[in-house]
């Protein structure tokens, strides 16, 4: 068994224990359930398809709420949105990304706001709602400039250029 498989098996076990509702160990297990889909998010994306990742993040979201970890709650919402977007369920993804944005505002995390705005732009673009996507990109660019995040600004400008191409506004 690979280390990643062992960690995954332990996490599945922890998820099951968390759902048993045993108060004496629930908090410790909730912390593990909330942390793994965040810390292991890249590993999960590489090894698991979106349908399989969704339950990890649903339990992680529930656990984050249980322990009051608002930042982790936001990460799980974003990861759920990404999984649903990858499944082609853009409307459901948008719902999660909007919740992610609200949490980012609450925690005053400008980088998390940018992430949510970019994801919202992508999801609306998937639906052909390019004017809405454009507005989200412009909001993201504004925040990236405030942060001095030139790389993020450049990436978002590239996305905005693609949106303008979809809108047939080639002069932009």
């Amino acid at each position: 068994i690979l280390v990643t498989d062992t960690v995954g098996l332990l996490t599945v076990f922890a998820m099951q224990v968390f759902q048993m509702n045993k108060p004496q160990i629930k908090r410790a297990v909730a912390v593990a359930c909330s942390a793994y889909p965040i810390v292991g998010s890249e590993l999960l994306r590489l090894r698991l398809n979106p349908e399989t990742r969704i339950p990890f993040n649903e339990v992680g979201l529930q656990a984050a709420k249980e322990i009051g970890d608002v930042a982790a709650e936001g990460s799980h919402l974003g990861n759920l949105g990404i999984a649903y977007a990858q499944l082609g369920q853009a409307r459901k993804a948008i719902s999660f990304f909007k919740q992610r944005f609200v949490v980012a505002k609450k925690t005053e995390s400008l980088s998390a706001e940018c992430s949510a705005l970019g994801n919202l732009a992508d999801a609306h673009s998937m639906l052909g709602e390019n004017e809405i996507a454009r507005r989200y990109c412009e909001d993201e660019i504004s925040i990236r400039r405030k942060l001095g995040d030139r790389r993020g600004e450049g990436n978002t400008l590239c996305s905005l250029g693609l949106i303008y191409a979809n809108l047939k506004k080639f002069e932009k």
Side-chain angles (χ1 to χ4, degrees):
I1 293 178
L2 297 172
V3 171
T4 55
D5 293 337
T6 303
V7 171
L9 290 171
L10 289 172
T11 303
V12 169
F13 174 72
M15 289 167 60
Q16 292 169 343
V17 171
F18 173 71
Q19 291 172 330
M20 282 195 228
N21 204 17
K22 302 276 185 198
Q24 61 274 24
I25 59 170
K26 190 168 184 173
R27 179 160 174 77
V29 174
V31 169
C33 286
S34 177
Y36 181 70
I38 296 169
V39 175
S41 66
E42 292 306 313
L43 176 65
L44 289 174
R45 263 186 237 150
L46 289 172
R47 295 186 50 97
L48 303 175
N49 61 42
E51 296 95 342
T52 307
R53 288 193 322 262
I54 288 170
F56 278 94
N57 282 289
E58 288 174 336
V59 171
L61 177 60
Q62 180 185 356
K65 287 178 179 180
E66 175 96 12
I67 61 175
D69 189 342
V70 180
E73 187 179 328
S75 293
H76 294 300
L77 290 165
N79 288 337
L80 284 163
I82 290 167
Y84 281 109
Q86 290 173 333
L87 291 172
Q89 296 181 36
R91 289 276 173 229
K92 196 163 190 172
I94 287 168
S95 171
F96 283 107
F97 294 144
K98 283 182 177 180
Q99 292 174 69
R100 169 65 169 134
F101 183 75
V102 169
V103 170
K105 287 291 242 185
K106 187 187 300 184
T107 60
E108 299 178 354
S109 171
L110 293 177
S111 63
E113 283 184 43
C114 286
S115 176
L117 289 168
N119 288 329
L120 281 162
D122 290 344
H124 280 285
S125 189
M126 285 173 61
L127 294 170
E129 298 171 345
N130 292 300
E131 275 299 327
I132 297 169
R134 180 191 57 79
R135 288 192 299 271
Y136 283 124
C137 274
E138 288 174 350
D139 290 346
E140 181 184 357
I141 289 167
S142 174
I143 295 170
R144 296 230 182 252
R145 286 179 176 155
K146 275 187 219 171
L147 290 171
D149 178 3
R150 303 285 291 162
R151 175 183 260 171
E153 180 185 347
N155 290 338
T156 308
L157 284 167
C158 183
S159 296
L160 183 59
L162 294 172
I163 290 167
Y164 278 127
N166 290 338
L167 291 167
K168 309 285 190 244
K169 293 184 178 181
F170 300 109
E171 71 284 355
K172 292 279 191 173

